[in-house]
Structure formats: C-alpha cells, structure tokens
Amino acid sequence: MSARQILTGALALTALATPIAALADVVRGEALFRPCRACHMIGEGAVHRVGPDLNGLVGRRIGSAAGYEYSDDLTEAGAEGEIWTDETLDRFLAGPRAYFPGTNMVFRGITASEDRAALIAYLSAEGGAPDGAAQTGGTDIDPEIATILEIEGDIAYGAYLSSECTACHRAAGGTDIPSIAGLAPSVFIAGLLSYRNGTRQHLVMNALAQRLGDEEIAALAAYFASAE
Amino acid sequence: MTINRRIFLGSTVAITTSLCAPAVLTAQGRPQVVVVGGDAGGATAARYIANDSQGAVDVTLIEPTRAYYTCFFSNLYLGGFRDYESLGHSYGTLAADYGINVVHDWAIAVDRDTKTVRLAGGGSVPYDRLVLSPGIDFIEDSVPGWSLAAQNAMPHAYKAGSQTQLLRAQIAAMPEGGTFAMVAPPNPYRCPPGPYERVSMVAHMLRETNPTARILIADPKESFSKQALFEDGWERHYPGMIQRIGPDFGGGSVEVDAQAMTLSIDGQVENVDVCNVIPAQRAGSIAFAAGITDGDWVPVSAYDMSSRADPEIYVLGDSAAQGAMPKSGFSANSQAKVAANAILAALTDARAFPARFSNTCWSLIDTDDGIKVGATYAASDEGIVSVDSFVSQLDETAELRAQTYRESIDWYTAITSDMFG
C-alpha cells in the first residue's frame, strides 16, 4: 500500500470517531514537519539523507531502518527491543538529547505536547506501518552521498581542512554547535551536502560548504571518522 | 624523543614557564619556531605547529601575560552577560600537553641577520622561522588630549584585562542620568563591530541600573559594521538612549580633557562621566622593531601569511595588512592555521595545502538578540580576497536571533580550546 492509501485508509477507519480532529492533526503535523525536511524524507521516494528516511517509523524498533548509520545510543536502544511508540516518540521530540545524549540529531525539541501529538499523527499517516512493503527506498542511499562515499578521502588533507571546523566545533560538542567527530561517513557527508545544496539553512555553514568540492568533503569525512 | 600526539612527557628544553630569561636557548638540532604574542593568532600557531609536527619542531611562545583575557566577548562582561574570569585562559596546557616553551617576557627586538629575538629580561632566542602576532598599539596623539597616561581616567579597554574591569567599574559608578561617551576609532581597527557591540552592552547595563543615563558616540566614520542591524536594535531595545555623532556633524573633530572629564565635538564641549576613548591603531611595536612594516601595518603574502619584507617572518591577526579579512580574533585563528601549514612544509616533510580562510563575527545587541557577519576567503597575488559573505537580516525571527547568540557561546568555548588547548 502506498502512503496515500494508508492515509486514506486511516482516515476511513477514524471516520466514525472524530474525523475532523484527526485530519486537522495530520494537516498541522505536516506543517510542523517542514523544518524536519532539512534532514529527513518521508513518503514515496524517500531515501536516507542526514537523517534516516521516516517511512514505517511509528511502531518500528529504534535505530533500525536498514542502510542508515545510527549513533550508538539509538542502535543500542533498538538492540534492547525499544520501539518508537507514541510515548517514546513524544519523549524524543520533546528533547532528543535529553532522551538520547549521544544522538546525532541536532534539534532543540518541541515544547507544546499538542504539537508533538500532531507531528506524530502526521508521521504515522504519511510514513505508514513498519512493514517492509510500506517502506519505499529504505536502503537506497541518496546518489549524491553515494558518489562522495566512493572517493577515497585524503586524511592528511582532511586534517588540514578540519582546522576550519574546529574554530566552532569542538570534539565534545556544544548545545547548539554539535560535535562532528566520530560521525559515520554517510551521515557526515549528508550533513555537509545539505548545507552545500541549501536544503539546510545556516548562514555560516552554507558559505563554508559551498566552497567544498566532493574531494574536500570526502577528505573531511575520512578525517573525522578517524578522529575520536 | 617521541611525543604522544596529545601529551608531552618530559623535556630536554631547559626553560618552560620561567620568570628569568635565559642567556641563549640552543636549537637542540630540531628546527626552531619562535612565536611572539600568545593570542588568537600566536597561541593557535604555536599549538598547531607543536601538535602537527609531533615533536619534530621546537616551538617557543613569548607572551608577557600569564593569563590571556580575550578582547572578544569582553563586551559581554561589560553588559553583565559573563563574568570576568570566564574571559581568562592559562598557558599551562600549551606548556604541559604540547611541549611548547612558554616564556613570559617581552620581545623587544628582532635581529633578522642572526635570526634571533631579544627579550626585555635579557637574553635572546634563535629562530628558523618567526611568527609575530603582537595585536595592536595606539597611534600617539590621534585623539587630541588623550595619551596612555590618561588611560585610567579615560579607558580604551581595547586590550582586554584590567582596562575592561576599570571600564565596567566606571559604568557602575556613573551618577544617575549621567553620560557615557565613546570616541570611536577610524578605519582600519581591531574588531569592526566591537565599539557598537560595546555601546549595546553598556546600554543594556544602564537600562537596568541607570535608565535615565545616556550614551554619546563621536564617530569619525560614515558607516560601520552591521550598522543597520545595530541601529534597528538600539531603536527597539534602548530608544532615546544612544546618540551617534558622525563625521557630518563633527564626529571626526574631537578633543578630550581627562582632568576635566570633558569631550569636545567640533568645538561643542560636553561634560561626561565615563569617556571610552578608542584611538587610531597600528601594528604592535615589535613589528616596527623588526623593520617589516609599511605605513601602520605589515604587508603579507596571502598564500602563507609571510611578511613581504622577510619571508621567514610570518605575521598574523591585527598587525597584518590582511586584505579583505577584518581584524578579528577569528581571522587571526584562521590565518594561524595557514601559516602553521606553510611553516611545517618548509621545515619538515609535511605537505603544503592551499590557503583558505574564514571569519564570523558575532555581536550581542540585547538579551537573546544576537547578530553575525562573516565570509570565506582565498589567497591571491593582490592579497586575501573575499569569496562569499553573509550577514544577519533585519527581519529575522526572535528565535533565530536567540540561536545566533547561543551558537556564539559554543564558538567561544571551541575557539579558546583551539587556541589554548
């Protein structure tokens, strides 16, 4: 079933209950999802980018979308059988790093509980149930990321380039400027690409990333993957 | 001797953090780099050369102060957003973890023929390559009536430390409804938005403690960095408190009397309670002593920050004629990395990479209202040129302004670690 069919089906099932409220939640949730699109895709054709594609998220084991390199915190939670439920998602969206301190997701959180509920309703409706058929493109990697992953990064060049990063990014990370040391190459590359192509907006990062070619990004990814 | 990448254990170099200057420091067979000025440029260069050479290069850092108080963020202390100690950084980590020979003394002369640096305490230090990062000194008589003898009555607070503490104490002691005056500097000067962030921070403090006080700026410049943003912020946060007199109305024709505590703008005499005089600036004195200046600053190659007059002397930060880059701590730190790479390539078999520079200047206007300006830069025969620039916008959301301020706090922690280890 496509996400759209699921959405229609979900709406049909709730038609006897509070159809207008449910639809309003999903619509509001879609608006709330806009900033998330800087890193996440959902729905038809979704692939992993900075963050994993969110099809089949609700009801799935944490940190388990195939082909995405999660932080250790999320991988371990999934290994222990923890699931993305309405409750765990609500807790995560309220403050990702309060829940999982080691998460790579750089997001301050959503304060209003009704907003979080609306967003979860949208994720559920648009992303569908966590069965293989509903997940579209789950293991497909963004071709731009794949191209750079194929380049053998020059670590010594990456070390030199990294000195431009360390003016702001320290290894331990800050509250607003995250740590970039030890990131999986696909996640690191996706991050810089999202700034280079403007999917993610930040005045400083856009300017810095725009003058990084594929060779430079590969070198940096290789260097930071090797850094503690 | 092998050196662990992070921890330096033991030393065959006799002098570390000593009060006495030695007669001569011998080269020990390893190439010697001497860095004068333990600041944003110099401390960064010393750390990167020591760290990246993994002990192959001997690094001496000459810096008179035992703790470095950053000029950047000192305005936030004036505004009550940070405490004084948070601005201070010790050289202990550079000495202990990086094996840098930290010498607390003044460099007073450079003999380019014998390649030695003479110290005020006596003795001299030989170099294979020399890095100068001596910041700024003030041009004498640039503000009629003001000299260094007047800096207690009318602080510049444009070299951080006791001057900053003095200025804050003077602001706190202002009478109700008193006048804080600033004589702003002409271009080029250290930290282009600095005086205007300072005005914002003083206004913030006065709004809380002395709301009928006023701020008067005499400015020889037509325009200044992030002007539209500051003026918009002043209007929103401190309406009616700040008056800026530009050159059209005599802001460039200024005289002070430190005894009488008056400021005369185009002949019009004002009684002032605090007078922050920021004089015209030039390169630090050691650059002149070394004979490498041209006019007020040191011309350098954009490709590696080496001085045009002597390619074995590299000049970083404020003292350099740095092309399109502003004279900021961020710029000095950025330039230091280019110089470090070039020096290591010259002295060891390290690879040289093309120069690249960047800068971001954050300024705080009021609580959770932060702005920034910056650019990326590249090297050219003509000097450092801008590649792409950015600046905060007038119509930004309150959330973005708050985020801009918060990220500057992370930046400060990161860059001071980058400088001091």
Side-chain angles (χ1 to χ4, degrees):
Chain A
M1 290 173 84
S2 76
R4 229 169 258 289
Q5 287 172 306
I6 292 168
L7 174 61
T8 315
L11 288 177
L13 283 169
T14 57
L16 292 170
T18 52
I20 293 166
L23 180 58
D25 245 14
V26 169
V27 168
R28 188 148 139 261
E30 186 178 9
L32 288 164
F33 189 72
R34 249 172 252 141
C36 312
R37 291 188 191 279
C39 298
H40 291 283
M41 295 183 79
I42 193 168
E44 218 167 292
V47 292
H48 298 320
R49 285 220 171 125
V50 185
D53 113 52
L54 298 179
N55 285 329
L57 176 75
V58 185
R60 181 170 72 202
R61 255 184 326 114
I62 293 178
S64 69
Y68 183 78
E69 298 185 80
Y70 290 92
S71 62
D72 290 343
D73 275 16
L74 266 67
T75 310
E76 277 157 25
E80 280 157 27
E82 285 184 47
I83 307 281
W84 284 126
T85 62
D86 283 356
E87 288 72 36
T88 53
L89 265 176
D90 179 77
R91 187 178 160 196
F92 187 71
L93 290 171
R97 275 178 283 188
Y99 189 5
F100 292 117
T103 180
N104 294 327
M105 179 157 134
V106 185
F107 180 63
R108 280 171 63 87
I110 298 172
T111 345
S113 63
E114 323 83 67
D115 285 350
R116 295 195 298 271
L119 183 54
I120 293 166
Y122 170 73
L123 291 172
S124 189
E126 184 66 16
D131 63 36
Q135 291 181 60
T136 50
T139 54
D140 286 356
I141 196 158
D142 186 308
E144 243 196 313
I145 300 173
T147 306
I148 297 179
L149 273 174
E150 268 156 45
I151 302 171
E152 194 178 323
D154 180 346
I155 292 185
Y157 186 34
Y160 170 71
L161 295 170
S162 76
S163 65
E164 190 164 59
C165 317
T166 53
C168 295
H169 289 274
R170 65 191 195 281
T175 55
D176 282 75
I177 302 179
S179 170
I180 52 177
L183 284 179
S186 63
V187 174
F188 183 92
I189 291 165
L192 278 180
L193 280 176
S194 72
Y195 286 121
R196 190 171 80 177
N197 63 32
T199 319
R200 207 151 136 192
Q201 292 284 310
H202 187 281
L203 289 179
V204 182
M205 287 308 301
N206 292 139
L208 289 173
Q210 267 153 32
R211 65 153 176 187
L212 294 174
D214 288 0
E215 289 287 340
E216 281 73 29
I217 295 179
L220 281 164
Y223 171 74
F224 278 108
S226 71
E228 277 140 7
Chain B
M1 169 177 35
T2 54
I3 292 186
N4 177 287
R5 193 168 176 78
R6 289 289 304 167
I7 303 295
F8 175 76
L9 303 166
S11 169
T12 59
V13 180
I15 310 299
T16 51
T17 52
S18 168
L19 287 169
C20 316
V24 179
L25 290 176
T26 59
Q28 310 273 333
R30 286 180 292 159
Q32 286 264 71
V33 173
V34 173
V35 180
V36 174
D39 53 9
T44 305
R47 179 175 166 258
Y48 271 75
I49 293 170
N51 188 59
D52 292 354
S53 71
Q54 306 215 333
V57 174
D58 194 74
V59 179
T60 294
L61 176 63
I62 302 169
E63 166 56 50
T65 67
R66 278 153 178 70
Y68 184 76
Y69 285 84
T70 59
C71 225
F72 45 96
F73 267 37
S74 65
N75 285 333
L76 297 184
Y77 156 70
L78 291 176
F81 288 91
R82 279 186 93 89
D83 65 46
Y84 182 68
E85 281 315 310
S86 76
L87 301 174
H89 305 273
S90 117
Y91 294 95
T93 308
L94 288 179
D97 288 8
Y98 296 87
I100 293 166
N101 183 18
V102 179
V103 177
H104 290 304
D105 203 336
W106 280 96
I108 52 172
V110 177
D111 186 328
R112 286 158 49 193
D113 296 322
T114 62
K115 292 173 69 171
T116 50
V117 175
R118 196 141 47 83
L119 302 175
S124 60
V125 186
Y127 67 84
D128 291 300
R129 294 293 185 279
L130 176 63
V131 177
L132 299 182
S133 186
I136 50 147
D137 274 317
F138 300 117
I139 295 177
E140 249 181 277
D141 302 323
S142 59
V143 176
W146 193 91
S147 70
L148 286 176
Q151 74 173 11
N152 188 269
M154 294 186 165
H156 52 80
Y158 231 62
K159 295 182 188 184
S162 58
Q163 278 275 304
T164 326
Q165 292 176 298
L166 171 64
L167 186 59
R168 177 149 159 178
Q170 289 184 350
I171 293 164
M174 277 172 68
E176 199 183 314
T179 300
F180 174 98
M182 169 187 281
V183 177
N187 285 319
Y189 61 95
R190 141 189 292 190
C191 192
Y196 310 96
E197 182 189 56
R198 177 169 294 175
V199 162
S200 308
M201 291 292 93
V202 173
H204 173 86
M205 180 62 86
L206 290 175
R207 189 184 61 201
E208 310 305 312
T209 59
N210 191 346
T212 54
R214 67 173 189 128
I215 296 173
L216 179 63
I217 313 164
D219 201 335
K221 305 185 299 298
E222 292 276 359
S223 62
F224 58 90
S225 173
K226 296 185 277 198
Q227 180 169 1
L229 297 166
F230 276 114
E231 288 178 342
D232 168 75
W234 294 345
E235 191 50 45
R236 285 185 288 112
H237 298 299
Y238 317 111
M241 185 185 265
I242 300 164
Q243 185 188 13
R244 177 175 167 265
I245 296 175
D248 288 351
F249 293 92
S253 178
V254 153
E255 195 170 329
V256 300
D257 185 331
Q259 307 279 23
M261 284 304 288
T262 58
L263 166 65
S264 143
I265 301 173
D266 210 24
Q268 178 96 353
V269 180
E270 300 259 359
N271 291 309
V272 296
D273 300 290
V274 178
C275 194
N276 176 209
V277 174
I278 306 173
Q281 294 157 28
R282 57 173 174 80
S285 298
I286 190 67
F288 292 89
I292 57 174
T293 52
D294 182 358
D296 291 327
W297 313 99
V298 180
V300 295
S301 158
Y303 297 104
D304 59 8
M305 300 308 293
S306 62
S307 65
R308 302 263 193 214
D310 185 337
E312 290 181 325
I313 302 179
Y314 299 74
V315 180
L316 308 173
D318 299 348
S319 285
Q322 76 299 346
M325 293 185 90
K327 294 186 186 298
S328 70
F330 198 120
S331 292
N333 167 270
S334 173
Q335 293 158 8
K337 293 153 183 183
V338 170
N341 178 251
I343 290 168
L344 285 173
L347 297 179
T348 70
D349 59 5
R351 290 162 62 192
F353 295 111
R356 60 198 299 118
F357 310 91
S358 58
N359 175 71
T360 302
C361 280
W362 280 273
S363 301
L364 184 63
I365 307 177
D366 196 356
T367 309
D368 289 333
D369 193 350
I371 53 176
K372 63 193 177 209
V373 65
T376 50
Y377 304 90
S380 80
D381 292 345
E382 285 71 47
I384 298 175
V385 293
S386 175
V387 173
D388 190 14
S389 65
F390 53 87
V391 66
S392 295
Q393 297 299 301
L394 279 171
D395 57 357
E396 282 168 357
T397 62
E399 173 52 35
L400 181 54
R401 289 292 179 94
Q403 185 195 304
T404 300
Y405 169 58
R406 285 195 313 266
E407 76 190 15
S408 76
I409 301 173
D410 280 350
W411 161 75
Y412 184 84
T413 310
I415 202 163
T416 49
S417 305
D418 202 36
M419 288 163 54
F420 298 104

